[in-house]
Amino acid sequence: MVIDDDVSMRDSCCQVLDRDGYRTETAEDGDNGLQKVREIKPDLVLVDLKMPGMGGMELLEKIAEIDSNIVSIVITGYATIESAVEAMKRNAYDFIPKPFTPDQLRIIVGRGLEKRRLALESARLRQEKETMRENFITLVSHQLRSPLISIQQYFNVILEGFAFEDKWAGQQKELIEQVTKRIDGLLKLIDDWLDMSRIEAGKLINSFGPVALGPILSETIELLKPLAEAKKVTLETDFCDGLPGAQGDGEGLKQVFTNLISNAIQYNRQGGTVTINTKEDGEHLIVEMSDTGTGISQENLHFIFDEFFRVKTKETRDITGSGLGLPIAKKIIGAHNGSIKVTSELGKGTIFSIFLPKAEQ
C-alpha cells in the first residue's frame, strides 16, 4: 500500500485503499465512494463522517452490506463518544481525528489491514473446515459404505450356502480373499484418517533428531519388494556416499517414503522402474523418487495434495486408496520444515523430490 506523505485527509472525502497493496482511490463524496467500493472491493476504506451527499454513517452501513470484512476507518474533526459508538454499530473498525500526521495514518491503516488479513485467513479456515466436512460425508457414503456392501454380499453368498454348491467349487478361497482385501482397504483408510487427525493435533511427529536417510529408505524398499514383484516393477537405488543425517523423526519419514514409493509402484506400468536417489544441496538433503508410470496431467497436478483427491483414469481406476497418502506425506514433511516438489509428464512418469534440513551439528 502506498500513502502519499502529503495526504492528511483534512478535506471531506472517502479514500479507498485496494487489496493489491499499491492502488489508492479517492472520492469527493459518499455516493462516488460507494461506487468505487462496489467496483474494486477494497481491503480498507477511510470514511469521513461529514461529506457532501451521503453521510459517513450511511456509507458505513452500505459498505458492510457489500462485504462485512472490508475495514472501515472513520476520520472526523468532530469525534465524540456518541459518534464513535454509532460508527462501531455500523461496522467501523476505528477512529482517527483530524488533523493527523502521515505516520499516524500509516499506523492505523496498518492495524486495519492486519485485521483484514486475519479475517480473510479465518474465512479461509472456515471454508477448509466445511470442505473437510463435505469430504467426510463423501468418505462415509462411498469409501466406507461401498467396501462394506461388497463384504456383506460375499458373506451372504457364504451364509446362504451358495459357496458350497458344485458351481462354486474351488472358489471359496477366492471369496475369502476378496473379503480380506476389502477389509485391508478399510483398515488402511481408517489408519490414514487417524494419521491426519494426529497431524492436525501435532501428535504424529514424536521427536526430532539426527536421522540417517539411507537405512530408512533401505528398510522401506525391502518392505515394499513384494508389492513391486507382484507389479513386475524394478526398484533401483542411487544413494549418495557420506550423506549427512537429516533433522527429523525417523518413523514419520519412513511413513512418507512408504507412501511415495508404494504410489510409484502401483501407478507404474508392468515392467517399469522406480528409482530412489539421495543427494546433498546446500543446507538441504534431497530424496528423489522417479517412476516410469502413467504420469499426472498438468490439470490434476495442482490437486494431488488435496485430501481425498485421486487421479481417475482408465489406467488407474482399479487402484484402491483413500486419497490421503500424499496429503499426509506433505504435512509430515512440512512439520520437518521441509518441502515436496513434483514434476510429471502424462504417459512418461513422475518425480517426487523431498527437501529436508540437515541435522543440527
Side-chain angles (χ1 to χ4, degrees):
M1 180 187 62
V2 175
I3 299 178
D4 191 330
D5 283 348
D6 294 332
V7 174
S8 62
M9 302 295 295
R10 296 178 188 276
D11 298 325
S12 296
C13 66
C14 171
Q15 179 153 339
V16 179
L17 305 179
D18 195 303
R19 63 166 55 91
D20 62 14
Y22 299 99
R23 179 180 174 188
T24 65
E25 292 281 342
T26 302
E28 66 276 9
D29 56 48
D31 294 306
N32 285 324
L34 184 61
Q35 183 61 33
K36 290 181 182 291
V37 170
R38 289 195 180 103
E39 291 173 356
I40 67 176
K41 299 295 192 302
D43 290 317
L44 185 143
V45 182
L46 299 171
V47 180
D48 198 323
L49 289 183
K50 301 293 183 179
M51 295 183 291
M54 183 188 303
M57 292 296 183
E58 183 182 357
L59 180 58
L60 288 172
E61 288 185 349
K62 293 187 178 298
I63 291 172
E65 290 172 2
I66 295 172
D67 183 352
S68 61
N69 285 324
I70 293 177
V71 176
S72 296
I73 296 175
V74 172
I75 55 174
T76 180
Y78 309 94
T80 64
I81 293 178
E82 290 78 11
S83 62
V85 171
E86 194 66 23
M88 297 305 169
K89 289 180 180 179
R90 288 167 168 78
N91 205 43
Y93 166 67
D94 207 344
F95 260 81
I96 182 168
K98 299 178 187 177
F100 50 82
T101 66
D103 284 342
Q104 290 173 325
L105 180 60
R106 289 190 185 94
I107 290 171
I108 197 169
V109 166
R111 290 202 301 260
L113 291 176
E114 177 63 13
K115 176 184 182 296
R116 169 72 168 175
R117 186 189 67 78
L118 293 174
L120 293 177
E121 178 69 10
S122 177
R124 183 186 66 79
L125 292 174
R126 285 196 300 271
Q127 181 59 45
E128 285 186 0
K129 184 177 180 181
E130 178 61 21
T131 301
M132 288 185 66
R133 186 190 69 81
E134 293 172 355
N135 285 336
F136 184 74
I137 293 173
T138 301
L139 171 73
V140 172
S141 63
H142 177 69
Q143 291 181 286
L144 290 179
R145 190 170 181 271
S146 296
L148 286 173
I149 289 175
S150 296
I151 292 170
Q152 185 182 50
Q153 291 171 343
Y154 289 130
F155 278 126
N156 284 339
V157 170
I158 295 172
L159 291 172
E160 294 294 331
F162 298 125
F164 302 102
E165 296 180 358
D166 290 340
K167 66 178 181 179
W168 287 89
Q171 296 188 40
Q172 293 90 342
K173 181 180 178 182
E174 183 180 342
L175 280 176
I176 295 173
E177 286 175 345
Q178 289 296 323
V179 171
T180 301
K181 182 179 179 181
R182 291 291 189 175
I183 292 174
D184 288 344
L186 284 173
L187 289 173
K188 178 65 167 62
L189 179 62
I190 292 169
D191 287 342
D192 285 347
W193 185 260
L194 290 174
D195 284 343
M196 287 295 294
S197 300
R198 293 189 189 105
I199 291 172
E200 296 295 340
K203 296 179 179 179
L204 186 64
I205 306 301
N206 295 317
S207 61
F208 283 91
V211 177
L213 296 179
I216 296 178
L217 286 166
S218 296
E219 182 181 349
T220 304
I221 291 168
E222 192 66 29
L223 181 69
L224 294 173
K225 273 186 177 179
L227 178 63
E229 290 170 358
K231 186 76 175 183
K232 295 182 173 59
V233 170
T234 302
L235 298 176
E236 297 181 351
T237 61
D238 182 13
F239 295 164
C240 176
D241 292 333
L243 193 72
Q247 184 71 12
D249 174 80
E251 287 302 313
L253 292 177
K254 182 179 178 182
Q255 182 169 358
V256 171
F257 300 150
T258 301
N259 284 347
L260 294 180
I261 297 174
S262 63
N263 277 354
I265 295 171
Q266 292 185 83
Y267 288 90
N268 217 316
R269 56 180 173 80
Q270 281 202 352
T273 302
V274 175
T275 304
I276 303 99
N277 65 68
T278 62
K279 55 187 175 182
E280 186 177 355
D281 181 22
E283 296 300 315
H284 290 88
L285 304 178
I286 303 174
V287 180
E288 280 189 354
M289 303 169 190
S290 59
D291 64 63
T292 57
T294 58
I296 306 167
S297 69
Q298 294 304 304
E299 178 184 0
N300 286 328
L301 204 58
H302 298 289
F303 303 104
I304 61 172
F305 292 109
D306 290 352
E307 294 171 18
F308 303 104
F309 178 82
R310 298 186 65 231
V311 176
K312 295 180 180 179
T313 64
K314 63 180 180 180
E315 292 87 2
T316 64
R317 61 189 174 190
D318 294 329
I319 300 174
T320 60
S322 65
L324 292 174
L326 288 180
I328 288 172
K330 185 175 182 180
K331 287 180 181 292
I332 291 175
I333 294 301
H336 283 73
N337 294 318
S339 61
I340 297 182
K341 294 182 180 179
V342 56
T343 58
S344 187
E345 188 172 351
L346 202 59
K348 293 189 176 181
T350 304
I351 301 175
F352 281 89
S353 301
I354 300 173
F355 296 79
L356 292 167
K358 291 180 181 179
E360 298 174 0
Q361 299 300 317

